[in-house]
């Protein structure tokens, strides 16, 4: 049995009083006796009642709201996803409230809790990099609140998701590096528990296997998604007795950390170290040499995630897994020949 959000009507029925009495008691109104206030507030706490700030006047046409939680709102990717969500939501009569988890599990949980308290119609989420406990999302399912994941996902048996074909894209990018002469190809990724990291690393390894290039575990470096940490990782790779001659970077933060580190050491891109990153194409064109990029169709991902969420809100209980293909954009940073 799924839990559901407890309403004023539920409290009133349990206590055998009117909804108006319950509402006044929760507001600590002088119109209600102290005994009734105590009974109402005790029951509300027991049943985990959460007031709805958007329902103060049921006769008003209050906008329907969707909550969106992202790990890092300042990056182009998440901004573009949010743009797609907002455009589709607007077309369907919904307003969007966004929250930035800053790649932090506790802030992600707080954002989800705030959305529940706001009685949003549904939630779209991308996991923070340190989230390994999914109980706050299980609670969402038990309460019957529609939720769709994008990019970094979990609980595939419970929720729909929108992802990219990161495995295929990583394989194509690695194959390009091999075809242009690289053999010591490093992969710099994020935390290994993230499904997005698993997919992209898998594609990289498949390309090496298909070309019968031995897999060197020293060249597979997965850790925290952080610019300074990625710089340290890149330096460690370049300090190896047999350093990489190419790098495949997991996302834009890691891509530009690796790019800056290579150049800071006086190495030439791509002659000494070629690089391809999962990043947006627009930014990739503004560095020298121009960055070869694996580009998400982020706006389309956002629209699709919102479409699936609104389907769920409207009663569609099917679990979908939509894959939006990425685009490999070869520029100067990977062309050794």
């Amino acid at each position: 049995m799924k839990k559901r959000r407890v309403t004023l009507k539920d409290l009133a029925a349990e206590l055998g009083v009117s909804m108006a009495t319950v509402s006044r008691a929760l507001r600590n109104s002088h119109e209600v006796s102290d005994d009734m206030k105590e009974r109402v507030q005790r029951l509300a706490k027991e049943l985990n009642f959460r007031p709805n700030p958007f329902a103060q006047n049921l006769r008003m046409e209050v906008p329907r709201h969707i909550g969106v939680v992202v790990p890092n709102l300042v990056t182009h990717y998440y901004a573009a996803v949010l743009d797609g969500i907002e455009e589709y939501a607007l077309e369907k009569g919904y307003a969007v409230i966004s929250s930035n988890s800053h790649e932090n599990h506790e802030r992600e949980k707080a954002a989800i809790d705030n959305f529940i308290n706001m009685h949003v119609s549904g939630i779209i989420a991308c996991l923070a990099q340190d989230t390994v406990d999914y109980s706050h999302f299980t609670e969402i399912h038990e309460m019957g609140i529609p939720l769709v994941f994008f990019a970094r996902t979990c609980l595939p048996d419970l929720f729909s998701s929108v992802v990219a074909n990161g495995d295929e894209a990583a394989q194509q990018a690695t194959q390009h590096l091999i075809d242009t002469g690289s053999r010591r190809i490093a992969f710099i990724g994020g935390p290994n528990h993230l499904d997005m990291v698993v997919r992209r690393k898998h594609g990289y390894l498949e390309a090496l296997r298909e070309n019968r290039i031995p897999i060197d575990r020293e060249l597979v470096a997965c850790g925290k998604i952080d610019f300074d940490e990625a710089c340290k990782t890149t330096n460690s790779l370049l300090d190896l007795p047999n350093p990489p001659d190419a790098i495949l970077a997991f996302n834009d933060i890691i891509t530009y950390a690796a790019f800056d580190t290579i150049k800071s050491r006086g190495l030439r891109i791509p002659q000494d170290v070629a690089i391809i990153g999962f990043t947006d194409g627009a930014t990739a064109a503004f560095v020298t040499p121009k960055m070869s990029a694996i580009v998400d169709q982020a706006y389309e991902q956002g629209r699709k995630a919102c479409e699936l969420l609104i389907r769920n809100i409207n009663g569609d209980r099917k679990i979908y897994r939509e894959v939006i293909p990425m685009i490999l954009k070869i520029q100067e940073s990977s062309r050794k020949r």
Side-chain angles (χ1 to χ4, degrees):
M1 290 286 291
K2 283 187 179 181
K3 297 178 185 177
R4 62 180 180 84
R5 286 177 282 201
V6 177
T7 66
L8 283 176
K9 185 177 180 180
D10 296 326
L11 297 179
E14 182 76 16
L15 293 167
V17 298
S18 70
M19 289 174 60
T21 297
V22 172
S23 178
R24 293 186 186 109
L26 291 172
R27 289 186 282 110
N28 207 29
S29 170
H30 67 278
E31 300 175 275
V32 180
S33 69
D34 289 342
D35 177 64
M36 179 56 69
K37 289 177 189 175
E38 194 275 333
R39 289 175 59 201
V40 170
Q41 291 170 8
R42 183 174 65 245
L43 182 62
K45 184 175 181 180
E46 288 174 2
L47 298 182
N48 195 26
F49 170 74
R50 299 169 185 261
N52 184 351
F54 296 138
Q56 294 177 357
N57 188 340
L58 297 178
R59 291 172 296 179
M60 293 175 61
E61 289 190 7
V62 179
R64 297 172 294 176
H65 287 77
I66 290 170
V68 181
V69 57
V70 299
N72 189 343
L73 193 52
V74 300
T75 67
H76 180 274
Y77 170 72
Y78 292 114
V81 170
L82 186 59
D83 194 32
I85 292 170
E86 289 178 340
E87 284 294 319
Y88 192 88
L90 182 63
E91 292 170 12
K92 300 300 179 180
Y94 287 83
V96 173
I97 306 167
S98 60
S99 183
N100 190 347
S101 72
H102 297 275
E103 295 283 13
N104 181 273
H105 173 67
E106 292 302 320
R107 294 182 74 160
E108 176 184 277
K109 285 176 61 179
I112 294 297
D113 201 50
N114 286 336
F115 289 151
I116 296 172
N117 288 336
M118 291 176 183
H119 287 238
V120 296
S121 301
I123 297 170
I124 298 173
C126 178
L127 295 177
Q129 66 173 308
D130 64 351
T131 294
V132 292
D133 173 10
Y134 308 131
S135 58
H136 51 309
F137 294 115
T138 303
E139 180 185 8
I140 289 286
H141 176 71
E142 291 172 348
M143 296 177 74
I145 301 172
L147 183 145
V148 171
F149 284 109
F150 74 93
R152 307 176 193 168
T153 73
C154 66
L155 304 174
D157 294 335
L158 301 183
F159 299 109
S160 294
S161 62
V162 178
V163 298
N165 62 335
D167 50 350
E168 295 176 13
Q171 187 168 353
Q172 292 168 8
T174 306
Q175 186 63 54
H176 162 73
L177 292 170
I178 294 168
D179 291 343
T180 52
S182 296
R183 289 296 179 272
R184 294 275 297 165
I185 303 169
F187 175 79
I188 306 179
N192 277 310
H193 65 268
L194 290 177
D195 60 329
M196 179 190 281
V197 175
V198 172
R199 291 192 298 270
R200 296 179 181 185
K201 182 168 64 174
H202 175 75
Y204 154 79
L205 294 173
E206 281 298 295
L208 297 183
R209 292 187 188 103
E210 285 195 359
N211 289 272
R212 298 182 180 179
I213 295 175
I215 295 169
D216 186 341
R217 294 296 171 183
E218 282 190 318
L219 298 181
V220 183
C222 292
K224 186 177 180 181
I225 302 170
D226 176 82
F227 188 90
D228 291 338
E229 287 297 318
C231 288
K232 292 177 184 176
T233 298
T234 307
N235 271 314
S236 296
L237 288 167
L238 296 175
D239 285 338
L240 290 172
N242 190 8
D245 58 6
I247 291 173
L248 175 64
F250 167 72
N251 73 349
D252 48 2
I253 292 172
I254 293 173
T255 295
Y256 291 107
F259 186 88
D260 284 357
T261 302
I262 294 166
K263 295 193 77 174
S264 72
R265 293 172 67 114
L267 297 172
R268 299 167 301 162
I269 301 173
Q271 294 90 338
D272 298 319
V273 186
I275 182 168
I276 296 180
F278 284 84
T279 186
D280 69 282
T283 305
F286 288 107
V287 296
T288 304
K290 294 180 179 180
M291 178 74 69
S292 290
I294 308 160
V295 182
D296 275 290
Q297 298 191 70
Y299 177 86
E300 287 75 13
Q301 287 181 25
R303 283 189 64 89
K304 179 56 70 173
C306 195
E307 177 193 331
L308 296 184
L309 182 70
I310 292 175
R311 282 191 201 176
N312 195 339
I313 291 169
N314 291 335
D316 185 351
R317 296 294 176 257
K318 182 179 177 181
I319 296 175
Y320 296 89
R321 179 178 172 81
E322 296 285 343
V323 180
I324 308 295
M326 306 183 84
I327 299 168
L328 181 57
K329 189 173 182 178
I330 301 300
Q331 299 194 109
E332 297 167 351
S333 71
S334 64
R335 289 177 175 153
K336 284 193 173 182
R337 47 171 140 142

